Amino acid sequence: MTKQTHATAANPIRDAAYRYIDAGYRVLPANARRKFPTLKSYKQYRNKPPSEKQNERWFLSANAVCILTGEVSGSLEVLDFDQGGRAFDAWCDLVEEHDPRLLQRLVVQKSRSGGRHVFFRNELITPKSNVHARTVTPDVKDKTVLIETLGEGSLVMCDPSPGYVVLQGDLTNLPVMSIDERAILVDAAAAFNEVNSSVENAPTTKTTSDGTQPGDDFSERGDVATILTKHGWRLLHDGNNQQWCRPGKATGCSATLKDGVFYVFSSNASPFEPNKSYSRFAVYAFLEHGGDFSAATRQLASEGYGKAEDNDVNLSSFLDGLSGETKAKPPAEPELPDPGPVPESLLQVPGFISNVMSHCLDTAPYPNATLAFAGAIALLATLAGRKVRDPGDNRTNLYLLGLAHSAAGKDWPRKLNVQILHQVGLADCIGERFASGEGIQDALHLTPSMLFQTDEVDGMLQSIKKSNDARYENVLSTLLTMYSSANTVYPMRRKAGKKSPGTIDQPSLVVFGTAIPNHYYAALSERMLTNGFFARMMILECGQRGEGQEPKIAEVPNAIIDVAKWWADYQPGGGNLGTWHPRPRIVPHDDAAKGILIEARLHAEREYAKAERKNDSVGTTVWGRVNEQTRKLALLYAISVNHESPLIDEPAVKWAMTLVDHLTQRMLFMASSHVAESPFATDCLKVFAKIRKEDNLKIGHSKLLKAMAMEAVLFKKLIATLVERGDIIAEQETTAGRTGTLYRLNRVQQD
């Protein structure tokens, strides 16, 4: 039926009703004031459509029209923004950050009360009606709905009913949402929930509390954000109502943290249950102690939580010589959360990488899983160089940097790689030092696929930062260019008065470097972070040296040698020209992997856009490389699992996306903590870092002066400035009859 068939005179309500019927909706006449059908009973029309005569009779004089939502109208779902639509604009901003194009597809209607209705259909599900966000208004004691979805069993009033106007799109041409797209819309709505249904907490040691028990104390001042980050949660938006994304999920809000209460929406956020809230202490107990609240209480007590009020430290003392009593404003918390070093679960790749790691850990004098992983993936990347690619022509060349202290076992993975490459006849692929940019070019001209293993990365960066060694500047420039030339031709430099030395066809340079952590971070500068080298590196922190083991002589297992030999002998397409102009084999990805890769790309693009809006040059540089890094790692995962018939599948892509996102978040956090725009700002960051390393987050004057390694006069000026600015607090403490000065960070929660 169409409005042209039934229209005899101008009647906007009737005409709209027939347009909606033609669009596949179940439509009923309504009372505009009551926002309800004018029929005595309408439930039967969910099971069968009204007749043509009924429609003609209904809409002959109807003054409003409504649509039944849910399956009967083609899986129609409507997001209803109440309270004058006060959360609508903020919701739009949140959706736009996840998918800028999604908002443009939606159909938006203004309601009579000034609220908003967002219309869409669902691809694979029948939507249910549900409240996603509630609020408590100052003049209303009860909980009120802020955002809800109208699905199965509900209805919605529609334009041109009095007071209802379509602001965007066409109600007769709705977009169809995939499950992931709908999740973005609904998760964004849930992020605005301001009411907690219940608080999950357990008594610490008593059924009643005076507020000074360890659990209560932690709920007051505990750093739950760090705990969540440690266990894979990711902070999406900071502020009064923080929004968090659960582990294993790339986009969407899974929980909020407001006023010390963690409210979970997701049904896949174990050990937490959906639609429940948890105190800081409950979060700590579940994540750190498997839900054992007694063990959590004992541990917190050992860490100093639960002190009585009369034992609190007097924080009123400041440095002598400062005039007046200054109540400085605590400095802002860092914008970027710290995800911590890579968890060992993300270092597990089946097949060749796992086999090499196992042999390395079994034979190393000081086994280190992170270094073993870096060595194994660097070896595979070298073996497969110029031999495979993904459908986007991404290659296996990687730049890896393992951060480990001296004698922590950095040499063993490098020695193992040399041993394996020698055994399969690829000794020419190994390089050790970056003599010069020209030297790298010459080496790749002779052997286009090479593995450089070096322990001088931090020295190179220090020299570049101080601009006292042009040789290293040339090395860095060559490394940057080589990385991007793996799928093209690299023209070698021409020397004055001589013929062109030619080109390097598809150079595959893999770098496995190591550095001492504090030397590496001291070498970073804003220029280093934005020239692209930092963004190309996969930085893997190796942590403390593990327990040593007795050395053993063990042959490399045949399972490793056989695969390495297969790669050494494998020649992809190219015929007689294959050795110098190969056509690498394309490793396909299945449909599931393709969808996740698109999601990962959009996530990186959103983060890039956020950094761009903030004029954050470091953020744009790093996020600009995330998509490429993800695809490289997914390719390596696939060929590790099956070198003869590889396929980039869902596990490969999910692992790559999770690992790269974690490394990126950690890189940006560490950069923000160690890199400053001026030498003075750098010294300030050093002071903060020294204080945070202390067990009680306090450090004595003499110890800090010695740790800073600077002249006493400059140190005094630095400390006086930090105290006056309110960044740190100086306290007088008497021990064994001697009074000394201690410094601590001026933060409410001593993070």
Side-chain angles (χ1 to χ4, degrees):
M1 291 182 285
T2 65
K3 73 169 187 177
Q4 287 79 13
T5 303
H6 299 272
T8 57
N11 187 332
I13 297 295
R14 180 188 59 201
D15 294 347
Y18 286 123
R19 288 199 308 272
Y20 297 152
I21 291 171
D22 288 345
Y25 298 122
R26 190 66 52 84
V27 182
L28 301 175
N31 182 299
R33 183 178 59 81
R34 294 180 58 238
K35 299 191 294 185
F36 207 73
T38 55
L39 308 175
K40 289 184 179 179
S41 175
Y42 69 89
K43 292 184 179 179
Q44 65 268 30
Y45 298 113
R46 290 194 177 278
N47 300 319
K48 65 175 183 177
S51 67
E52 183 175 348
K53 288 185 178 180
Q54 285 176 309
N55 282 324
E56 290 178 352
R57 185 173 68 252
W58 287 347
F59 295 110
L60 182 64
S61 58
N63 68 357
V65 61
C66 66
I67 296 175
L68 300 182
T69 53
E71 184 178 10
V72 73
S73 290
S75 289
L76 172 65
E77 188 169 13
V78 178
L79 269 171
D80 184 6
F81 293 80
D82 288 333
Q83 300 186 31
R86 71 180 181 89
F88 179 73
D89 288 341
W91 175 84
C92 288
D93 291 340
L94 187 54
V95 172
E96 188 173 25
E97 290 188 9
H98 289 297
D99 189 343
R101 292 170 294 187
L102 188 56
L103 274 182
Q104 301 170 9
R105 297 168 51 202
L106 300 174
V107 176
V108 181
Q109 171 182 272
K110 182 178 76 68
S111 70
R112 189 177 64 178
S113 63
R116 296 291 186 271
H117 295 149
V118 175
F119 291 74
F120 55 90
R121 280 176 163 142
N122 289 283
E123 185 176 40
L124 298 173
I125 65 170
T126 299
K128 297 181 179 179
S129 299
N130 195 13
V131 176
H132 296 282
R134 297 181 183 272
T135 184
V136 176
T137 58
D139 54 343
V140 179
K141 292 183 179 180
D142 295 332
K143 302 172 184 177
T144 58
V145 174
L146 185 63
I147 310 173
E148 63 180 325
T149 47
L150 306 177
E152 197 67 21
S154 296
L155 57 86
V156 61
M157 298 292 295
C158 294
D159 180 334
S161 302
Y164 294 85
V165 180
V166 172
L167 302 178
Q168 174 180 297
D170 182 355
L171 283 173
T172 64
N173 186 24
L174 291 189
V176 179
M177 297 289 111
S178 68
I179 292 177
D180 290 340
E181 288 171 331
R182 179 186 181 273
I184 292 175
L185 304 178
V186 174
D187 286 351
F192 294 95
N193 187 59
E194 299 176 0
V195 175
N196 302 307
S197 59
S198 63
V199 175
E200 291 286 332
N201 205 339
T204 53
T205 54
K206 299 179 181 179
T207 55
T208 59
S209 172
D210 59 3
T212 61
Q213 297 302 313
D216 300 324
D217 192 15
F218 187 85
S219 288
E220 282 292 320
R221 62 186 181 93
D223 184 7
V224 73
T226 297
I227 294 172
L228 289 168
T229 301
K230 174 183 175 182
H231 289 270
W233 286 79
R234 184 161 49 84
L235 180 63
L236 299 175
H237 293 275
D238 207 349
N240 183 46
N241 191 19
Q242 294 181 353
Q243 297 161 14
W244 289 82
C245 181
R246 65 170 173 80
K249 187 177 181 182
T251 62
C253 177
S254 308
T256 58
L257 179 62
K258 181 181 180 183
D259 298 330
V261 176
F262 187 60
Y263 188 85
V264 180
F265 309 110
S266 174
S267 59
N268 295 310
S270 179
F272 304 115
E273 296 182 19
N275 302 316
K276 287 191 176 182
S277 56
Y278 300 81
S279 68
R280 287 192 183 108
F281 173 53
V283 172
Y284 171 81
F286 277 113
L287 293 182
E288 293 287 287
H289 296 277
D292 187 337
F293 285 80
S294 297
T297 300
R298 291 192 296 271
Q299 180 61 34
L300 289 176
S302 70
E303 295 176 7
Y305 286 93
K307 294 180 180 179
E309 186 176 351
D310 57 3
N311 288 333
D312 287 348
V313 179
N314 183 356
L315 305 180
S316 60
S317 298
F318 287 85
L319 276 177
D320 293 338
L322 291 179
S323 58
E325 183 178 352
T326 305
K327 290 186 178 180
K329 198 173 186 180
E333 295 290 331
E335 288 187 22
L336 299 171
D338 180 11
V342 178
E344 286 196 20
S345 60
L346 286 180
L347 304 179
Q348 307 303 316
V349 178
F352 183 78
I353 292 176
S354 177
N355 292 339
V356 175
M357 280 186 65
S358 297
H359 180 66
C360 182
L361 293 173
D362 184 52
T363 56
Y366 287 94
N368 185 288
T370 305
L371 287 171
F373 168 79
I377 200 169
L379 175 64
L380 180 58
T382 304
L383 290 168
R386 305 174 84 231
K387 298 186 177 184
V388 292
R389 53 182 166 171
D390 74 355
D393 205 16
N394 291 288
R395 307 301 180 95
T396 62
N397 59 311
L398 290 177
Y399 291 174
L400 301 120
L401 179 61
L403 299 182
H405 292 285
S406 297
K410 292 179 287 186
D411 287 340
W412 192 255
R414 292 198 290 256
K415 290 179 178 179
L416 180 58
N417 285 349
V418 171
Q419 182 182 354
I420 294 171
L421 290 173
H422 267 279
Q423 283 190 240
V424 298
L426 296 178
D428 292 342
C429 292
I430 304 166
E432 291 187 358
R433 305 184 70 84
F434 298 132
S436 64
E438 290 81 2
I440 296 174
Q441 294 180 39
D442 291 339
L444 285 166
H445 189 240
L446 295 174
T447 309
S449 181
M450 291 198 68
L451 169 63
F452 272 77
Q453 301 188 127
T454 179
D455 196 26
E456 62 176 4
V457 174
D458 49 356
M460 179 181 73
L461 297 180
Q462 284 280 14
S463 296
I464 294 172
K465 180 178 181 180
K466 297 174 182 177
S467 299
N468 61 1
D469 195 333
R471 174 175 68 98
Y472 280 133
E473 285 278 7
N474 181 255
V475 168
L476 185 61
S477 175
T478 301
L479 291 174
L480 291 172
T481 309
M482 285 294 180
Y483 187 90
S484 302
S485 300
N487 58 4
T488 185
V489 175
Y490 178 88
M492 297 183 66
R493 84 253 180 244
R494 180 193 294 269
K495 295 183 179 179
K498 294 188 177 182
K499 294 181 180 180
S500 172
T503 60
I504 307 173
D505 190 278
Q506 304 171 69
S508 179
L509 174 60
V510 176
V511 176
F512 175 24
T514 52
I516 296 174
N518 53 323
H519 291 176
Y520 168 73
Y521 289 118
L524 290 180
S525 65
E526 188 172 6
R527 181 169 70 96
M528 288 296 305
L529 296 178
T530 56
N531 68 7
F533 185 71
F534 181 73
R536 288 169 172 81
M537 297 291 292
M538 282 180 55
I539 300 171
L540 300 160
E541 297 168 81
C542 303
Q544 296 180 345
R545 185 174 77 167
E547 184 178 349
Q549 60 187 9
E550 287 301 305
K552 64 175 69 174
I553 298 175
E555 296 294 327
V556 179
N558 290 333
I560 295 174
I561 296 300
D562 290 346
V563 174
K565 189 70 169 67
W566 185 92
W567 281 111
D569 296 338
Y570 177 59
Q571 295 296 331
N576 294 332
L577 305 179
T579 56
W580 66 274
H581 183 60
R583 290 200 297 268
R585 175 182 181 177
I586 297 176
V587 178
H589 43 55
D590 60 23
D591 291 340
K594 184 177 180 181
I596 299 171
L597 284 171
I598 292 173
E599 180 183 345
R601 174 177 59 80
L602 292 174
H603 169 61
E605 289 174 356
R606 289 191 293 269
E607 294 296 332
Y608 182 96
K610 286 166 59 177
E612 196 172 35
R613 287 195 296 269
K614 296 177 183 178
N615 199 28
D616 177 6
S617 57
V618 176
T620 55
T621 303
V622 173
W623 284 109
R625 289 285 171 182
V626 163
N627 180 52
E628 180 184 25
Q629 295 275 38
T630 301
R631 292 168 188 260
K632 283 176 178 286
L633 289 180
L635 173 61
L636 285 162
Y637 187 106
I639 63 175
S640 175
V641 172
N642 187 336
H643 58 283
E644 294 182 329
S645 301
L647 173 69
I648 301 173
D649 56 10
E650 184 174 350
V653 174
K654 283 188 173 180
W655 169 80
M657 182 176 66
T658 306
L659 176 59
V660 172
D661 188 72
H662 186 103
L663 292 176
T664 301
Q665 300 285 355
R666 177 67 173 178
M667 287 167 65
L668 291 173
F669 172 80
M670 297 304 287
S672 68
S673 302
H674 292 84
V675 180
E677 297 178 356
S678 67
F680 176 78
T682 300
D683 288 337
C684 293
L685 291 177
K686 288 182 180 178
V687 170
F688 302 152
K690 300 298 182 186
I691 297 176
R692 290 193 187 100
K693 286 183 178 179
E694 296 298 307
D695 291 338
N696 59 357
L697 299 178
K698 297 180 182 180
I699 189 171
H701 176 88
S702 299
K703 185 176 181 179
L704 181 57
L705 173 60
K706 189 178 298 184
M708 291 297 294
M710 60 192 308
E711 295 181 10
V713 174
L714 297 177
F715 177 78
K716 184 177 180 180
K717 290 181 179 180
L718 173 64
I719 294 300
T721 301
L722 291 176
V723 171
E724 195 166 1
R725 286 194 333 193
D727 292 333
I728 65 173
I729 288 178
E731 302 171 347
Q732 302 300 315
E733 184 172 285
T734 301
T735 304
R738 298 181 60 182
T739 300
T741 302
L742 295 177
Y743 303 113
R744 68 173 177 85
L745 295 179
N746 185 9
R747 296 180 184 273
V748 176
Q749 292 186 8
Q750 291 291 324
D751 64 346

